[in-house]
Amino acid sequence: MSNLPYHEQIDRNNVLHLRQLIQALPPFCSQFFRGIEPRTSSRTRIAYAFDLKVFFEFLIQEHPAFYKQDLRQIKLEQLDELRSVDIEEYMEYLKYRFNEKNQEIINKERGIMRKICSLKSFYNYFFRLEELKTNPPALVQLPKIHDKEIIRLDIDEVALLLDAVEQGEHLTEKQKSYHAKTKIRDLALLTLLLGTGIRVSECIGLNIQDIDFKNGGIQIHRKGGKEVTVYFGTEVEYALKDYLEQRKSIVPELGHEDAFFLSLQNKRISVRSVENLVKKYARTVTPLKRITPHKLRSTYGTNLYRETGDIYLVADVLGHSDVNTTKKHYAAMEDERRRSARNVVRLREE
């Protein structure tokens, strides 16, 4: 397993996890997951498995026809008994529910949307195969999603953030003791995120051999397994080379020899660790903004669009399969550009 590339290790672990999750679901669910396997990622299928378990738990807790039935004993044909009103009741149930440990779980509109979309995919699959005669989720209107405020760093905040990483000011005494050991790594990592817009999963998956300093590019694996080259500028190059020099003196743990970014335990750095270090430094610069690695990606996209005005280029560099996703995130920039055009055309000479 240790010889597998990082993204293949993750996929392998996800597949094994999914097998465990499927064992807790009604047997007919196995057919569904086999059917969608060619066109979905392992992470997506895991999310579907969690969502379907919540749905079946709702049925045995709340629906008279399924009440207190063993979850594994539910039959596919029983789902034909459900009507659209049952799916609407499920949406209401999702807002506030309790898990096995009697902990309250609150789902906002996006969480409800995801679970209903999972259920729609499930019903569509069996309806298309004519193994279900009805498709009640198809008749239900999805909850209205309110646009979230797009949070990103301003230009001056980007510089302040990188300064904070270099200088370590405003950190706690405990954080400063670690800062001396991780400063070069943290600067390289944040510079890479801010200078390329790659996802945090793509960043931690980087191996030493994935970086091509000659052509100024890194080889990464996008969502869905697509392998692409993302190019970086001189600021990113210098930061990566500085860290690479330090990296050469570190002896990695077995199985982590190829990883570019290492933790203090000399293992491949995790997503959670990157999230924590971004939060740690960003809090000293802009305490009112909740900055995450994804917000650094939004910051890069904004800056690239501001400089080029090419939404298709931004979509391509960020790896968006649909340019409308990009347009949605940078609509505010479009309005700013439209306003800036108001005085460009002169009707009469002054």
Side-chain angles (χ1 to χ4, degrees):
M1 174 180 157
S2 60
N3 294 326
L4 289 174
Y6 173 74
H7 70 283
E8 290 184 19
Q9 288 184 33
I10 295 297
D11 194 55
R12 174 190 179 278
N13 293 340
N14 285 344
V15 169
L16 294 176
H17 186 201
L18 179 62
R19 288 176 186 172
Q20 292 180 327
L21 295 174
I22 291 175
Q23 289 176 2
L25 297 173
F28 55 82
C29 291
S30 298
Q31 178 186 344
F32 168 69
F33 286 104
R34 284 196 301 272
I36 65 172
E37 191 271 336
R39 61 182 189 280
T40 56
S41 70
S42 56
R43 285 183 61 188
T44 297
R45 295 195 298 279
I46 285 175
Y48 280 3
F50 278 116
D51 293 344
L52 289 176
K53 187 171 186 287
V54 172
F55 175 65
F56 291 124
E57 287 173 345
F58 158 76
L59 292 179
I60 61 180
Q61 290 173 22
E62 305 289 338
H63 197 284
F66 297 82
Y67 189 62
K68 291 190 176 180
Q69 185 175 348
D70 187 297
L71 194 151
R72 288 274 299 167
Q73 300 303 316
I74 293 175
K75 305 296 182 186
L76 180 61
E77 54 267 26
Q78 287 181 269
L79 299 185
D80 266 327
E81 300 175 22
L82 300 180
R83 298 293 177 261
S84 57
V85 65
D86 297 311
I87 309 303
E88 290 170 350
E89 287 179 5
Y90 174 53
M91 291 170 63
E92 183 66 28
Y93 165 85
L94 287 173
K95 290 180 181 177
Y96 304 100
R97 64 187 181 86
F98 292 88
N99 62 15
E100 298 91 339
K101 298 178 181 178
N102 207 33
Q103 297 169 323
E104 186 178 24
I105 298 175
I106 300 174
N107 278 296
K108 299 291 179 64
E109 52 194 20
R110 291 179 187 275
I112 296 172
M113 167 79 87
R114 196 198 80 175
K115 286 176 172 56
I116 298 300
C117 286
S118 298
L119 189 60
K120 280 176 176 280
S121 296
F122 177 80
Y123 260 90
N124 286 341
Y125 174 80
F126 286 108
F127 187 73
R128 189 172 62 252
L129 294 178
E130 298 183 347
E131 294 186 34
L132 282 176
K133 300 182 182 66
T134 61
N135 191 356
L139 305 176
V140 173
Q141 288 187 329
L142 291 173
K144 183 179 180 181
I145 300 296
H146 296 87
D147 290 335
K148 294 192 297 185
E149 180 188 5
I150 304 300
I151 298 173
R152 54 178 74 89
L153 292 173
D154 297 330
I155 293 294
D156 62 319
E157 291 172 336
V158 170
L160 289 171
L161 178 61
L162 295 178
D163 288 344
V165 179
E166 279 191 315
Q167 298 160 13
E169 293 182 357
H170 308 300
L171 297 177
T172 65
E173 290 304 314
K174 184 178 180 180
Q175 288 172 338
K176 285 179 180 178
S177 66
Y178 289 109
H179 177 258
K181 303 173 186 175
T182 64
K183 177 177 72 172
I184 297 175
R185 181 204 67 186
D186 294 353
L187 186 60
L189 201 154
L190 287 177
T191 302
L192 179 64
L193 291 174
L194 285 164
T196 61
I198 61 174
R199 297 176 176 90
V200 63
S201 58
E202 297 162 352
C203 177
I204 67 169
L206 273 180
N207 288 335
I208 294 174
Q209 57 268 32
D210 292 330
I211 302 176
D212 177 8
F213 287 109
K214 181 175 180 292
N215 296 300
I218 53 174
Q219 197 80 5
I220 62 170
H221 288 83
R222 292 288 196 197
K223 281 184 176 179
K226 184 180 179 182
E227 196 171 278
V228 300
T229 300
V230 173
Y231 297 96
F232 53 77
T234 54
E235 288 177 288
V236 175
E237 178 185 352
Y238 295 151
L240 293 180
K241 282 183 174 178
D242 285 345
Y243 174 63
L244 187 58
E245 282 302 310
Q246 184 187 68
R247 170 71 176 75
K248 289 175 183 176
S249 64
I250 301 173
V251 180
E253 288 289 316
L254 187 66
H256 300 265
E257 296 87 351
D258 293 334
F260 185 69
F261 289 112
L262 296 175
S263 68
L264 286 173
Q265 291 74 41
N266 297 339
K267 297 179 180 180
R268 186 185 295 275
I269 197 168
S270 66
V271 170
R272 177 64 59 85
S273 294
V274 175
E275 289 172 343
N276 287 339
L277 76 88
V278 168
K279 185 193 300 182
K280 175 179 70 176
Y281 291 116
R283 194 178 286 155
T284 67
V285 172
T286 173
L288 296 182
K289 290 183 181 178
R290 187 173 175 273
I291 299 300
T292 64
H294 195 75
K295 302 299 187 293
L296 303 186
R297 181 170 156 82
S298 295
T299 298
Y300 173 79
T302 300
N303 291 337
L304 181 61
Y305 185 54
R306 182 181 282 118
E307 294 297 325
T308 65
D310 188 342
I311 199 72
Y312 293 96
L313 173 64
V314 176
D316 184 47
V317 172
L318 292 180
H320 289 161
S321 55
D322 184 357
V323 73
N324 288 318
T325 302
T326 319
K327 286 180 177 178
K328 180 177 68 176
H329 282 83
Y330 303 107
M333 292 295 298
E334 284 280 6
D335 189 56
E336 183 180 311
R337 291 181 70 241
R338 283 194 293 269
R339 284 201 305 271
S340 68
R342 61 187 173 184
N343 292 321
V344 171
V345 177
R346 295 290 181 183
L347 303 182
R348 290 190 293 179
E349 291 294 331
E350 290 185 357

